[in-house]
Amino acid sequence: MEKIYIAKGQYAKFETFMEQICEKNRLYNYIGAMNMALENVIKFANQDLILSVSHYKDGIHFSVQVDNDLFSSISFSDTTNADFETLFLIKSLPDDINISADGKSIDLFFAIDGIEEELAMSRREKIKAYSFRKVTVTR
């Protein structure tokens, strides 16, 4: 497991960490979805946090930990929430999500055991739906 402490607003530190993880684990086909999901978790958290990464049976697992119960308040289905777009991306891009019982951490799981065409298409469609929704909302 690798961990990094990221102070609020230190996006460059996050980007450097992700580049190293990508290079070390050869995650070139997956890094876009991972980066976008994690960037949105960091944006939502808007505070100092610890980001860790480890492997699990079929993929890679990222955990974001904060000092309060921030993640316990997440509702992925509340479309009236001001953070809905951010939460939509957090929910849609990983293959699985787990929020700890105390709300201090959120875990994002990405399957990387040879990306399947169906999974890649599903992720593209989710991003396309998000982009289309964003265009129609801003008009």
Side-chain angles (χ1 to χ4, degrees):
M1 176 186 296
E2 296 181 55
K3 289 185 179 184
I4 188 169
Y5 175 82
I6 302 174
K8 180 179 175 180
Q10 285 186 334
Y11 292 106
K13 194 171 183 179
F14 162 72
E15 290 168 1
T16 301
F17 179 73
M18 289 302 291
E19 287 172 10
Q20 292 169 351
I21 295 299
C22 174
E23 184 69 30
K24 185 177 189 178
N25 297 285
R26 301 175 192 255
L27 299 173
Y28 311 108
N29 291 338
Y30 314 94
I31 199 67
M34 291 175 187
N35 263 351
M36 190 177 286
L38 288 165
E39 282 176 6
N40 280 282
V41 171
I42 292 169
K43 176 182 171 184
F44 179 79
N46 195 30
Q47 60 184 287
D48 296 358
L49 54 86
I50 295 173
L51 173 63
S52 61
V53 61
S54 61
H55 290 273
Y56 72 101
K57 182 182 174 189
D58 295 322
I60 196 159
H61 160 239
F62 292 92
S63 182
V64 177
Q65 299 171 330
V66 294
D67 288 331
N68 55 27
D69 65 349
L70 171 73
F71 300 117
S72 64
S73 66
I74 289 180
S75 170
F76 290 113
S77 59
D78 181 6
T79 59
T80 62
N81 184 332
D83 294 314
F84 178 74
E85 290 181 22
T86 299
L87 296 173
F88 175 82
L89 289 171
I90 294 170
K91 177 186 174 206
S92 299
L93 295 173
D95 297 302
D96 196 16
I97 296 176
N98 184 37
I99 297 174
S100 65
D102 64 4
K104 291 183 178 185
S105 69
I106 185 169
D107 299 323
L108 283 66
F109 299 89
F110 294 89
I112 61 169
D113 188 23
I115 193 163
E116 299 173 15
E117 184 64 27
E118 183 177 321
L119 178 57
M121 291 299 292
S122 173
R123 287 182 179 159
R124 273 190 223 121
E125 290 303 315
K126 288 175 183 176
I127 292 171
K128 188 186 295 185
Y130 167 75
S131 298
F132 176 76
R133 183 182 179 286
K134 192 166 182 123
V135 168
T136 58
V137 169
T138 59
R139 286 186 181 179

